[in-house]
Amino acid sequence: MQENREQWGSKLGFILAAVGSAVGLGNIWRFPYLVYTNGGGAFLVPYFVAIFTAAIPILILEYGMGHKYKGSTPLAIARANKKWEWLGWWPTINAFIILAYYSMILSWALRYLTLSFTKGWGNDTNSYFYNDFLQSSNSAFEFGYIIWPILIGIAILWAVNWFICYKGVKGGIEKLNKILLPLLIIIMIIIVIRGVTLEGATIGLNKLFTPDWSKMLEPQVWIAAYGQVFFSLSVGMGIMMTFSSYLPKKSDINNSAFMTAFANCGFEFLCAIGVFGILGFMASSQGLPFEEVVSGGIGLAFIVFPKVFGLMGVWGTILGVLFFTCLVFAGLTSSVSLVEAVSSAVIDKTGWERKKVVSLICGVGFIVSIAFATRAGLYLLDIIDNFVNNYGIVVIGLLEAFVIGWIIKPETIRNHTNSVSYYRIGKWWDIIIKYVTPAILAIMLISSIITEIKTPYGGYSTAELITYGWAIVGIGIIGALLFSKMPWKNKNSLDFDNESEVA
């Protein structure tokens, strides 16, 4: 049985959507800092090793599964092996959880975009961000009151997500990425050109790319490289399997995986050059050691960069507007892909029409997101993001590799992707999926658990970490098991003729 399934308008539309999903906030504020702290130019060696031994193989796995079994992540896995259907629901639930706090970060970016026209964050950007804007409380249990500018931003972003996904795959998601992704790249190129021509930019660029080869001997550097490529490519989130299920029968799966990985990688390098050129200018203009101005994550985007823009006169206003526009665009292309991953799974399971499902998910998602618009929002984001990424997504990737490698068998997927692809992959892929990827992800998982036991994350109390960390991971697993027990609305959903798809 094969239902009529939506399709991308073109292969380019699929690639842009996949790259749009992969290109997100982490490329802009996480990658540059990771390179700097993990050996500079030397970090690029484990980074590229990680791309070839984890990123591309897992992308081929997820693209191959979605394309062969023509379904969202839960349906594709259930068609391959019904006992493992729950493994498709876990990343789907995680995608919904990520959406709830992602909308808050995008709301911040939206607010800062409006502030950037007048540099409304003032001179003390640290105090403005934590005290005036977020009005952060003292603990994750102290919700206080709702911060209305943040909630309004969250509402706007959920409305945009709803509008795009309501329009469907071809008419909504593909169109959005065809507009936003080229704009995103153009904006980042402008930021980079101005960043590297600023006085003192070379200080930052030298710090970024000067190799510290001794770091190559540290296991943690290799773990960081694998973590970055794994998270930045949106694998283990239910997105890529879903997106590839909308491809026509004859689609070059293997080449698409390489294109997605390298496009994402190229954008990360572009971001790193721009970010460190601007940070070099800040160090030079303030006469500070570079180590005192460098930062990663939220601090870079909402504290350090606004401070830099404040030092730059008219160009500071221009770069501020461009930078926060960049954050909003990168976040939107990722958030609509998360909404689609959740919606597609629910549509497949229930048989409900797309418009009803997207409206329900965006409505419930907005209600859940209200918790992040309170004074405890930053703490909730910090804890949940850490546990979902370090435990949820890593374990999902590990189990995916195990199920494909040892139960479904890698040659099943490899034979399928080779039958529709111009570039054929060899048995090396089987070895990576069966042995290399599971081993690396197991090491990452064990490392995270040991670190967590030695030093509880972020200095939070045990109660906070259990409530918002381990409990969220548990909810993902329990929810996945419960969803997998529900009957498929169409009883013939799992009666699928695999071979017809390879014809």
Side-chain angles (χ1 to χ4, degrees), residues 205-225:
L205 296 175
N206 286 338
K207 287 286 186 182
L208 176 66
F209 290 118
T210 302
D212 177 1
W213 297 111
S214 65
K215 288 275 191 181
M216 296 267 294
L217 300 173
E218 297 178 16
Q220 203 57 42
V221 171
W222 288 81
I223 290 170

Side-chain angles (χ1 to χ4, degrees), residues 322-483:
L322 291 176
F323 177 74
F324 288 109
T325 300
C326 216
L327 284 189
V328 172
F329 283 3
L332 267 178
T333 57
S334 296
S335 65
V336 294
S337 63
L338 288 163
V339 172
E340 182 58 29
V342 181
S343 301
S344 181
V346 176
I347 291 166
D348 284 347
K349 187 76 170 181
T350 61
W352 296 345
E353 64 169 10
R354 164 176 289 275
K355 293 178 178 179
K356 177 181 177 181
V357 171
V358 169
S359 300
L360 180 67
I361 287 165
C362 291
V364 173
F366 170 68
I367 292 167
V368 173
S369 296
I370 292 172
F372 293 94
T374 64
R375 295 181 65 201
L378 179 63
Y379 306 126
L380 302 185
L381 155 73
D382 193 21
I383 299 170
I384 294 171
D385 182 62
N386 175 69
F387 278 80
V388 167
N389 281 316
N390 286 341
Y391 302 106
I393 292 173
V394 170
V395 175
I396 288 163
L398 179 61
L399 289 174
E400 273 186 8
F402 169 76
V403 171
I404 304 300
W406 296 94
I407 297 173
I408 297 169
K409 302 300 181 187
E411 58 267 24
T412 307
I413 303 301
R414 178 166 55 84
N415 290 340
H416 172 76
T417 64
N418 283 346
S419 73
V420 295
S421 300
Y422 176 75
Y423 169 74
R424 296 171 66 85
I425 51 170
K427 291 187 178 178
W428 60 267
W429 185 80
D430 301 24
I431 294 166
I432 287 174
I433 293 299
K434 286 182 82 169
Y435 304 105
V436 180
T437 302
I440 291 160
L441 293 177
I443 290 167
M444 283 175 62
L445 180 63
I446 292 164
S447 170
S448 293
I449 292 170
I450 290 170
T451 304
E452 187 66 40
I453 292 168
K454 284 183 179 175
T455 314
Y457 177 72
Y460 293 103
S461 69
T462 304
E464 288 170 318
L465 295 176
I466 289 172
T467 305
Y468 302 118
W470 294 115
I472 293 294
V473 174
I475 286 169
I477 298 169
I478 293 165
L481 291 168
L482 291 175
F483 275 116

Side-chain angles (χ1 to χ4, degrees), residues 107-332:
S107 172
W108 298 352
L110 209 54
R111 176 62 179 147
Y112 267 67
L113 174 58
T114 62
L115 291 171
S116 60
F117 288 96
T118 59
K119 297 175 187 169
W121 45 68
N123 296 323
D124 189 345
T125 54
N126 188 75
S127 175
Y128 178 82
F129 180 64
Y130 290 112
N131 301 327
D132 300 344
F133 179 55
L134 296 185
Q135 301 173 39
S136 292
S137 62
N138 296 315
S139 88
F141 293 126
E142 194 180 317
F143 287 86
Y145 44 80
I146 287 172
I147 315 297
W148 286 103
I150 297 176
L151 184 62
I152 291 166
I154 288 172
I156 291 169
L157 288 154
W158 273 111
V160 173
N161 280 331
W162 170 82
F163 179 76
I164 300 299
C165 292
Y166 192 88
K167 293 278 188 180
V169 173
K170 185 178 173 182
I173 298 169
E174 186 171 337
K175 276 187 179 176
L176 175 83
N177 282 285
K178 280 183 174 177
I179 296 167
L180 288 197
L181 209 59
L183 281 175
L184 185 59
I185 293 165
I186 291 166
I187 291 169
M188 187 50 75
I189 289 171
I190 295 169
I191 292 172
V192 169
I193 291 170
R194 184 59 189 132
V196 298
T197 54
L198 289 168
E199 187 180 341
T202 50
I203 296 171
L205 296 175
N206 286 338
K207 287 286 186 182
L208 176 66
F209 290 118
T210 302
D212 177 1
W213 297 111
S214 65
K215 288 275 191 181
M216 296 267 294
L217 300 173
E218 297 178 16
Q220 203 57 42
V221 171
W222 288 81
I223 290 170
Y226 277 91
Q228 175 63 18
V229 298
F230 198 74
F231 302 138
S232 76
L233 278 165
S234 297
V235 292
M237 295 185 189
I239 296 169
M240 296 309 186
M241 252 185 243
T242 301
F243 275 10
S244 63
S245 74
Y246 300 131
L247 281 167
K249 287 183 183 181
K250 289 290 183 182
S251 299
D252 193 336
I253 299 294
N254 298 336
N255 191 38
S256 296
F258 279 88
M259 288 171 68
T260 305
F262 288 130
N264 179 66
C265 168
F267 187 77
E268 286 191 325
F269 279 115
L270 194 64
C271 293
I273 292 166
V275 165
F276 271 75
I278 293 169
L279 290 176
F281 160 79
M282 184 177 181
S284 171
S285 64
Q286 294 201 305
L288 294 170
F290 189 79
E291 289 70 24
E292 287 187 24
V293 303
V294 71
S295 173
I298 289 167
L300 173 72
F302 297 103
I303 298 170
V304 178
F305 263 34
K307 192 172 184 66
V308 181
F309 299 145
L311 301 170
M312 294 174 69
V314 175
W315 260 107
T317 304
I318 295 167
L319 284 181
V321 171
L322 291 176
F323 177 74
F324 288 109
T325 300
C326 216
L327 284 189
V328 172
F329 283 3
L332 267 178

